[in-house]
Amino acid sequence: QVQFVESGGGLVQPGGSLRLSCAASGSFFSIYHMGWYRQAPGKQRELVASITSERITDYADSVKGRFAISRGNTEKTVYLQMNSLKPEDTAVYYCNRVKNRQSWGQGTQVTVSS
């Protein structure tokens, strides 16, 4: 079972930036197709960005051009650089595998508000 620990969230004004980090356990991290998900109050959890083992990335339309996902296989970490943040980006952000999802971590709260 792989475990994930997310960090880097916080309160930011509209237009601001944050960089989220996700530290993963497990010996096979480098081959996992990883994703960042978010869940806003009253809404379902959604996949916003993903990155394959070959570093091919994909984004939800709502964040395309503003968010960038990357990974460091040596340190078993996935990052999410979030720029031009909007109030509608407010959510708890989680990382997990895209296929064969594991147990969810505690997530990290991102609040975009003036």
Side-chain angles (χ1 to χ4, degrees), residues 36 38 46-50 57-68 83-84 86 88-89 93:
W36 277 98
R38 69 184 181 188
E46 62 172 341
L47 177 65
V48 297
S50 66
T57 59
D58 194 23
Y59 300 92
D61 287 343
S62 58
V63 307
K64 202 169 291 184
R66 300 188 298 121
F67 289 11
N83 300 324
S84 302
K86 304 176 180 180
E88 51 263 44
D89 295 319
Y93 284 72

Side-chain angles (χ1 to χ4, degrees), residues 1-2 4 33-35 37 45-47 94-104:
Q1 183 78 342
V2 183
F4 305 106
H33 185 183
M34 291 295 300
Y37 300 77
R45 195 164 352 212
E46 62 172 341
L47 177 65
Y94 305 85
C95 68
N96 208 320
R97 296 176 63 178
V98 173
K99 299 177 182 177
N100 300 316
R101 279 199 296 269
Q102 306 294 294
S103 297
W104 296 98

Side-chain angles (χ1 to χ4, degrees), residues 38-56:
R38 69 184 181 188
Q39 186 168 22
K43 295 189 176 181
Q44 289 190 335
R45 195 164 352 212
E46 62 172 341
L47 177 65
V48 297
S50 66
I51 184 167
T52 70
S53 57
E54 295 83 16
R55 291 182 163 81
I56 297 171

